[in-house]
Amino acid sequence: MDAVTTEAGLLPNNGDWRAPRPPTQATEGKAAGIARTAKREQRSTDREARAGAVATLGLVQMRHLDPAAALASFEAAERETLTLDSPIGRGWGPARKAWPMIVLGDLRGAARAARQAGDTARTAHDWVHGALSAAFLHSIEVLNGDAEAANL
């Protein structure tokens, strides 16, 4: 299975990450299916497929309110994407690392991760990951109570 097929299959069909909610038996089944796919793809020789699967698993873990597992998945995706040819692909893990860090209360670490991801996105002309990083930085400033920095 190639990276495009993996992404297309995981994100719209199984990711279903619209709104966080506690896991139910049905959603646990989806998460387990994605975990199996990610494990299968981790054995793949295609780095993009592995990175896409692990990053998607992190999204599902966040949806299921497991930020520690999601952070580990996003860090694994970051390692997988370090040497990808695609500058946008290199942002899959790093651009999302700040999210579980915010939920875990590590606002300094989250800000550092979001700034690094934003800098990388800017040099890659990656508007999607740049916007995601900016949104995380905004959230961090709001949580820190700094309305001026958050431009409110």
Side-chain angles (χ1 to χ4, degrees):
M1 184 180 304
D2 64 9
V4 174
T5 304
T6 300
E7 276 189 354
L10 288 175
L11 286 173
N13 296 331
N14 296 326
D16 193 21
W17 48 272
R18 288 170 289 194
R21 61 180 180 225
T24 64
Q25 190 173 12
T27 58
E28 281 298 313
K30 286 183 179 182
I34 291 172
R36 283 191 301 275
T37 301
K39 286 179 183 174
R40 217 176 20 252
E41 289 301 321
Q42 286 174 336
R43 294 188 300 269
S44 170
T45 57
D46 184 341
R47 286 174 301 157
E48 271 190 66
R50 287 193 310 261
V54 176
T56 301
L57 178 60
L59 292 172
V60 172
Q61 289 163 330
M62 282 303 295
R63 181 172 186 270
H64 289 278
L65 308 175
D66 191 353
L71 179 58
S73 292
F74 295 144
E75 288 172 340
E78 182 176 30
R79 287 188 299 276
E80 288 290 341
T81 61
L82 284 175
T83 58
L84 286 183
D85 294 331
S86 166
I88 293 174
R90 287 192 297 267
W92 289 342
R96 289 158 179 81
K97 254 176 46 174
W99 185 18
M101 295 172 98
I102 291 168
V103 174
L104 290 168
D106 181 7
L107 298 183
R108 280 195 181 133
R112 189 172 36 256
R115 281 190 198 95
Q116 289 172 344
D119 291 345
T120 301
R122 208 171 0 274
T123 60
H125 304 287
D126 181 355
W127 293 95
V128 172
H129 291 140
L132 186 59
S133 297
F136 289 140
L137 284 169
H138 176 82
S139 296
I140 292 163
E141 297 304 339
V142 169
L143 290 169
N144 280 329
D146 192 344
E148 186 175 321
N151 294 319
L152 296 178

Coordinates of all heavy atoms in Angstrom, one line a residue, residues 100-133:
P100 N -0.9 17.8 21.7 CA -1.0 17.0 22.9 C -0.2 17.6 24.1 O -0.5 17.4 25.2 CB -0.4 15.6 22.5 CG 0.3 15.8 21.3 CD -0.3 17.0 20.6
M101 N 0.8 18.4 23.7 CA 1.6 19.0 24.8 C 0.8 20.1 25.5 O 0.9 20.2 26.7 CB 2.9 19.6 24.2 CG 3.8 18.6 23.6 SD 5.2 19.4 22.7 CE 6.4 19.3 24.0
I102 N -0.1 20.8 24.7 CA -1.0 21.7 25.3 C -1.9 21.0 26.3 O -2.1 21.4 27.4 CB -1.8 22.5 24.3 CG1 -0.8 23.4 23.5 CG2 -2.9 23.3 24.9 CD1 -1.5 24.0 22.2
V103 N -2.5 19.9 25.8 CA -3.5 19.2 26.6 C -2.8 18.6 27.9 O -3.4 18.6 29.0 CB -4.1 18.1 25.8 CG1 -5.0 17.2 26.7 CG2 -4.9 18.7 24.7
L104 N -1.5 18.2 27.8 CA -0.8 17.7 28.9 C -0.3 18.8 29.9 O 0.2 18.5 30.9 CB 0.4 16.9 28.4 CG 0.0 15.5 27.8 CD1 1.2 14.9 27.0 CD2 -0.6 14.6 28.8
G105 N -0.5 20.1 29.5 CA -0.1 21.2 30.3 C 1.4 21.7 30.1 O 1.8 22.5 30.9
D106 N 2.1 21.1 29.1 CA 3.4 21.6 28.9 C 3.4 22.7 27.9 O 3.7 22.6 26.7 CB 4.2 20.4 28.3 CG 5.7 20.8 28.0 OD1 6.1 21.9 28.4 OD2 6.4 19.9 27.4
L107 N 3.0 23.9 28.3 CA 2.8 25.0 27.4 C 4.1 25.5 26.9 O 4.2 26.0 25.7 CB 2.1 26.2 28.1 CG 0.6 25.8 28.6 CD1 -0.1 27.0 29.2 CD2 -0.2 25.2 27.4
R108 N 5.2 25.5 27.7 CA 6.5 26.0 27.2 C 7.0 25.0 26.1 O 7.5 25.5 25.0 CB 7.6 26.0 28.3 CG 7.5 27.2 29.1 CD 8.7 27.4 29.9 NE 8.6 28.6 30.7 CZ 8.8 28.6 32.0 NH1 9.3 27.6 32.6 NH2 8.7 29.8 32.7
G109 N 6.9 23.7 26.3 CA 7.3 22.8 25.3 C 6.4 22.9 24.0 O 6.9 22.8 22.9
A110 N 5.1 23.1 24.2 CA 4.2 23.2 23.1 C 4.6 24.5 22.3 O 4.5 24.4 21.1 CB 2.8 23.3 23.6
A111 N 4.9 25.6 23.0 CA 5.2 26.8 22.3 C 6.5 26.6 21.5 O 6.6 27.0 20.3 CB 5.4 28.0 23.2
R112 N 7.5 25.9 22.1 CA 8.7 25.6 21.3 C 8.5 24.8 20.1 O 8.9 25.1 19.0 CB 9.7 25.0 22.3 CG 11.1 24.8 21.8 CD 12.1 24.3 22.9 NE 11.6 23.3 23.8 CZ 11.2 23.6 25.1 NH1 11.4 24.8 25.6 NH2 10.8 22.7 25.9
A113 N 7.7 23.7 20.3 CA 7.3 22.8 19.2 C 6.6 23.6 18.1 O 6.8 23.4 16.9 CB 6.5 21.6 19.7
A114 N 5.6 24.4 18.5 CA 4.8 25.1 17.5 C 5.7 26.1 16.7 O 5.5 26.3 15.5 CB 3.6 25.8 18.2
R115 N 6.6 26.8 17.4 CA 7.5 27.8 16.7 C 8.4 27.1 15.7 O 8.5 27.5 14.6 CB 8.3 28.5 17.7 CG 7.5 29.7 18.4 CD 8.5 30.6 19.2 NE 7.7 31.3 20.1 CZ 7.4 31.0 21.4 NH1 8.0 29.9 21.9 NH2 6.6 31.8 22.1
Q116 N 8.9 25.9 16.1 CA 9.8 25.2 15.2 C 9.0 24.7 14.0 O 9.5 24.8 12.9 CB 10.5 24.0 16.0 CG 11.5 24.4 17.0 CD 12.0 23.2 17.8 OE1 11.3 22.2 17.9 NE2 13.1 23.4 18.5
A117 N 7.9 24.2 14.3 CA 7.0 23.7 13.2 C 6.6 24.8 12.2 O 6.6 24.7 11.0 CB 5.8 22.9 13.7
G118 N 6.3 26.0 12.8 CA 5.9 27.2 12.0 C 7.1 27.6 11.2 O 6.9 28.0 10.0
D119 N 8.3 27.6 11.7 CA 9.5 28.1 11.0 C 9.7 27.1 9.8 O 10.0 27.6 8.7 CB 10.7 28.1 11.9 CG 10.7 29.2 12.9 OD1 9.8 30.1 12.7 OD2 11.5 29.2 13.9
T120 N 9.6 25.8 10.1 CA 9.8 24.8 9.0 C 8.7 25.0 7.9 O 9.0 24.9 6.7 CB 9.7 23.4 9.6 OG1 10.7 23.3 10.6 CG2 9.9 22.4 8.5
A121 N 7.5 25.2 8.4 CA 6.4 25.4 7.4 C 6.6 26.6 6.5 O 6.3 26.6 5.3 CB 5.0 25.5 8.2
R122 N 7.1 27.7 7.2 CA 7.3 28.9 6.4 C 8.3 28.7 5.3 O 8.2 29.1 4.2 CB 7.7 30.0 7.4 CG 7.4 31.4 7.0 CD 7.6 32.5 8.0 NE 8.1 32.1 9.3 CZ 7.4 31.7 10.4 NH1 6.1 31.6 10.3 NH2 8.0 31.4 11.5
T123 N 9.5 28.1 5.7 CA 10.5 27.8 4.6 C 10.0 26.9 3.6 O 10.5 26.9 2.4 CB 11.8 27.3 5.3 OG1 11.6 26.1 5.9 CG2 12.4 28.3 6.3
A124 N 9.1 26.0 3.9 CA 8.6 25.0 2.9 C 7.4 25.6 2.1 O 6.8 24.9 1.3 CB 8.2 23.7 3.6
H125 N 6.9 26.8 2.5 CA 5.7 27.4 1.9 C 4.5 26.5 2.1 O 3.7 26.3 1.2 CB 5.9 27.7 0.4 CG 7.1 28.5 0.1 ND1 7.1 29.9 0.4 CD2 8.4 28.2 -0.4 CE1 8.3 30.4 0.1 NE2 9.1 29.4 -0.4
D126 N 4.5 25.9 3.3 CA 3.4 25.0 3.7 C 2.4 25.7 4.5 O 2.5 25.9 5.7 CB 4.1 23.9 4.5 CG 3.1 22.8 5.0 OD1 1.9 23.0 4.8 OD2 3.5 21.8 5.6
W127 N 1.4 26.2 3.8 CA 0.4 27.1 4.5 C -0.5 26.3 5.5 O -0.9 26.9 6.5 CB -0.6 27.7 3.4 CG 0.2 28.6 2.5 CD1 0.8 28.4 1.3 CD2 0.5 30.0 2.8 NE1 1.4 29.5 0.8 CE2 1.2 30.5 1.7 CE3 0.1 30.9 3.9 CZ2 1.6 31.8 1.7 CZ3 0.6 32.2 3.8 CH2 1.3 32.6 2.7
V128 N -0.7 25.1 5.2 CA -1.6 24.3 6.1 C -0.9 24.1 7.5 O -1.5 24.4 8.6 CB -1.9 22.9 5.5 CG1 -2.7 22.0 6.5 CG2 -2.8 23.1 4.3
H129 N 0.3 23.6 7.5 CA 1.0 23.4 8.7 C 1.4 24.7 9.4 O 1.5 24.8 10.6 CB 2.2 22.5 8.5 CG 1.8 21.1 8.2 ND1 2.5 20.3 7.3 CD2 0.8 20.3 8.7 CE1 1.9 19.1 7.2 NE2 0.9 19.1 8.0
G130 N 1.7 25.7 8.6 CA 2.0 27.0 9.2 C 0.8 27.6 9.9 O 0.9 28.1 11.1
A131 N -0.4 27.4 9.4 CA -1.6 27.9 10.0 C -1.9 27.1 11.3 O -2.3 27.6 12.3 CB -2.8 27.8 9.0
L132 N -1.7 25.8 11.2 CA -1.9 24.9 12.4 C -1.0 25.4 13.5 O -1.4 25.5 14.7 CB -1.7 23.5 12.0 CG -2.0 22.4 13.0 CD1 -3.4 22.5 13.5 CD2 -1.6 21.0 12.5
S133 N 0.3 25.6 13.2 CA 1.2 26.1 14.2 C 0.8 27.4 14.8 O 0.9 27.6 16.0 CB 2.6 26.2 13.6 OG 3.1 24.9 13.2

